């Protein structure tokens, strides 16, 4: 009898364990970033490292971007579920009928900057027009520089020189400026020279797209909005915890994924994100990190139309979905810090 009762109890607990395990099975999600692991992705690594994604029922794999990565193409091919996109590529993609949708805007301000040498009379954004040379990528020359020429006097195509991701040409020419990201190039220049460059954030000068977008295929939004919502909410919580809580585990994970990353660079980047309100500003202040509004989104679309980088007939409303953000998710986490 005892043996029979034991076998019955064992079977019961085994079935219960299997049922419980099945009930709490996590949805597998693959999320592709736009570059190698860095503080600019910190909130996502935070949500992975501290169990926030798991709390929302998600088993998330973060797939790094990099020089040869094709993560946006992988999203289109269905090999990723989410991607870290930009508003401009998304809007231009609508002209080509690409079925992607932005569902959250982690960066309320794009971190794109123009850098200049200190002590050279370049004190305001419009002063950059005085310089003989501006080192830019072809992408920058064909995008925000068009906006600069249209909105400020003195900028001309003759200023353009290719930027090859080395500060050496800029450092060798004090009558030049250089593009960069707020969290990266200024740090590299200060590390080499011991001097902070002058920083001009394009967003503060008026060129104000969202950035670090959570982008998905339209099909996923239509077929599994709950999965999209959970990923967005968990990522937002991750960003609050990364900026205002203990981010040591996330930073350790970033350094593991990208061994070239250092504590100093991560600390510098986090400081700049906070100083310039890249993540937590504007609508995010009272509606939560990641807030994406139709007003902000379409305003930048009109900017692109004004400089002929987007066709006026483009239906920009297909590029975004406001249902998943601006709900105040995570605000209590900030208030606890």
């Amino acid at each position: 009898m005892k043996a029979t009762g034991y076998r019955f109890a064992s079977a019961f607990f085994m079935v219960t364990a299997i049922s419980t395990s099945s009930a709490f099975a996590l949805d597998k999600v693959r999320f592709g970033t736009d570059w190698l692991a860095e503080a600019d992705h910190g909130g996502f690594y935070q949500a992975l490292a501290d169990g926030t994604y798991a709390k929302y029922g998600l088993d998330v794999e973060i797939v790094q971007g990099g020089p040869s990565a094709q993560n946006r193409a992988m999203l289109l091919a269905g090999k990723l579920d989410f991607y870290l996109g930009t508003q401009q590529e998304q809007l231009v993609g609508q002209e080509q009928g690409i079925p992607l949708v932005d569902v959250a805007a982690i960066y309320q301000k794009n971190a794109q900057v123009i850098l200049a040498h200190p002590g050279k009379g370049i004190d305001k954004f419009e002063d950059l027009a005085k310089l003989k040379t501006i080192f830019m990528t072809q992408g920058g020359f064909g995008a925000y520089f068009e906006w600069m020429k249209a909105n400020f006097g003195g900028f001309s195509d003759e200023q353009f020189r290719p930027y090859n991701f080395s500060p050496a040409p800029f450092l060798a020419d004090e009558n030049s400026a250089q593009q960069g990201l707020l969290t990266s190039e200024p740090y590299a220049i200060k590390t080499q020279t011991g001097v902070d460059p002058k920083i001009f954030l394009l967003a503060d000068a008026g060129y104000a797209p969202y950035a670090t977008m959570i982008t998905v295929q339209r099909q996923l939004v239509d077929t599994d909005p709950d999965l999209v919502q959970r990923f967005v909410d968990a990522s937002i919580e991750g960003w609050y915890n990364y900026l205002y809580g203990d981010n040591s585990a996330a930073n350790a994970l970033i350094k593991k994924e990208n061994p070239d990353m250092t504590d100093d660079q991560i600390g510098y980047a986090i400081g700049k994100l906070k100083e310039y309100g890249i993540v937590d500003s504007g609508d995010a202040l009272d509606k939560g990190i990641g807030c994406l509004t139709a007003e902000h989104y379409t305003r930048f679309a009109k900017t692109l139309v004004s400089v002929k980088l987007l066709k006026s007939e483009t239906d920009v409303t297909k590029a975004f979905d406001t249902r998943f953000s601006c709900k105040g998710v995570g605000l209590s986490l900030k208030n606890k810090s």
Side-chain angles (χ1 to χ4, degrees):
M1 263 320 264
K2 288 183 180 179
T4 301
Y6 176 80
R7 286 196 297 272
F8 175 82
S10 297
F12 172 79
F13 284 117
M14 184 177 296
V15 170
T16 301
I18 292 172
S19 299
T20 301
S21 174
S22 176
F24 289 93
L26 303 181
D27 292 315
K28 292 188 179 296
V29 168
R30 301 189 81 223
F31 168 55
T33 64
D34 59 345
W35 195 247
L36 300 172
E38 55 188 351
D40 297 78
H41 310 144
F44 304 108
Y45 282 100
Q46 179 77 25
L48 182 60
D50 69 11
T52 298
Y53 282 135
K55 181 183 75 172
Y56 277 85
L58 302 173
D59 176 9
V60 175
E61 176 189 358
I62 299 178
V63 180
Q64 291 188 88
S68 59
Q70 297 292 329
N71 281 350
R72 187 166 184 263
M74 289 178 65
L75 176 67
L76 285 166
K79 295 180 179 179
L80 295 175
D81 302 291
F82 297 89
Y83 170 64
L84 198 64
T86 69
Q87 186 180 355
Q88 183 158 341
E89 72 179 344
Q90 175 69 343
L91 285 167
V92 173
Q94 294 308 303
E95 295 183 344
Q96 303 163 355
I98 295 176
L100 299 182
V101 182
D102 288 331
V103 294
I106 301 301
Y107 278 18
Q108 295 294 294
K109 296 181 179 181
N110 194 310
Q112 189 73 56
V113 296
I114 304 292
L115 307 175
H117 293 269
K120 299 300 177 183
I122 309 301
D123 300 314
K124 302 186 296 295
F125 187 87
E126 50 265 39
D127 292 337
L128 293 166
K130 303 174 185 177
L131 297 173
K132 181 179 179 181
T133 300
I134 303 178
F135 294 100
M136 293 173 280
T137 61
Q138 285 288 344
F141 178 64
Y144 59 76
F145 195 61
E146 290 296 320
W147 171 84
M148 289 165 63
K149 290 187 295 180
N151 288 273
F152 298 91
F155 289 108
S156 69
D157 290 349
E158 286 70 33
Q159 291 175 290
F160 170 70
R161 295 292 183 279
Y163 175 52
N164 61 2
F165 299 96
S166 167
F170 165 72
L171 293 176
D173 181 0
E174 293 191 348
N175 192 38
S176 72
Q178 174 197 295
Q179 78 163 57
L181 287 179
L182 175 67
T183 53
S184 179
E185 275 83 354
Y187 173 81
I189 289 169
K190 184 176 182 180
T191 300
Q192 290 188 34
T193 67
V195 177
D196 285 305
K198 296 282 288 187
I199 296 175
F200 298 96
L201 188 71
L202 281 158
D204 287 344
Y207 187 80
Y210 285 130
T212 310
M213 314 293 293
I214 297 178
T215 306
V216 303
Q217 283 207 40
R218 183 176 303 281
Q219 182 181 14
L220 185 61
V221 170
D222 293 339
T223 60
D224 200 346
D226 174 70
L227 178 67
V228 175
Q229 188 69 72
R230 284 185 286 134
F231 183 80
V232 169
D233 288 351
S235 298
I236 289 169
E237 285 195 16
W239 271 101
Y240 276 111
N241 287 325
Y242 187 71
L243 291 176
Y244 303 114
D246 180 2
N247 55 26
S248 56
N251 292 336
L253 187 54
I254 288 170
K255 290 184 291 181
K256 178 182 177 182
E257 294 297 306
N258 180 9
D260 290 333
M261 191 55 59
T262 66
D263 288 327
D264 283 346
Q265 184 163 357
I266 290 173
Y268 178 91
I270 294 172
K272 291 301 181 186
L273 291 176
K274 291 181 176 181
E275 178 185 350
Y276 283 80
I278 300 298
V279 175
D280 199 6
S281 63
D283 293 315
L285 291 175
D286 60 357
K287 297 178 182 177
I289 285 173
C291 184
L292 186 161
T293 69
E295 292 78 11
H296 188 142
Y297 206 101
T298 56
R299 184 167 60 246
F300 179 66
K302 291 176 182 177
T303 295
L304 294 183
V305 170
S306 72
V307 293
K308 297 180 172 55
L309 294 176
L310 187 69
K311 296 175 182 176
S312 60
E313 63 269 23
T314 303
D315 185 359
V316 301
T317 62
K318 292 182 178 179
F320 63 92
D321 194 321
T322 61
R323 291 178 294 168
F324 301 95
S325 64
C326 306
K327 299 180 179 182
V329 172
L331 282 172
S332 61
L333 298 173
K334 177 182 177 181
N335 295 334
K336 287 180 181 179
S337 62

